[in-house]
Amino acid sequence: MNNNIRALRAERGWSQAELAELLQVSRQSVNAIETGRYDPSLPLAFSIARLFGQPIESIFSPDPESS
């Protein structure tokens, strides 16, 4: 799954640690999500979308190679 969390986080000037604290996850989890090594759970994806004020579909998109 692809995502644009890194760009959204950078727009707000947040570090990975700050985003992790807001989401109540580890910084390593934020890094793994940003780099595509980990797909967040649905509740976490909703939390991310709510935090950035965007629909999930505008943050996450399917990886065309896995379709």
Side-chain angles (χ1 to χ4, degrees):
M1 182 173 304
N2 297 318
N3 69 73
N4 62 346
I5 294 174
R6 183 173 300 184
L8 292 168
R9 178 175 59 76
E11 286 173 7
R12 288 158 179 78
W14 295 341
S15 67
Q16 286 183 342
E18 289 168 322
L19 178 57
E21 186 175 328
L22 291 167
L23 294 170
Q24 299 180 336
V25 299
S26 69
R27 185 202 59 77
Q28 291 85 354
S29 293
V30 169
N31 180 269
I33 293 167
E34 285 185 354
T35 58
R37 289 180 291 136
Y38 170 74
D39 290 335
S41 65
L42 194 53
L44 180 54
F46 273 108
S47 293
I48 292 168
R50 199 172 332 143
L51 182 64
F52 288 116
Q54 296 191 13
I56 287 178
E57 299 84 6
S58 71
I59 298 174
F60 298 97
S61 60
D63 185 352
E65 294 178 10
S66 67
S67 300

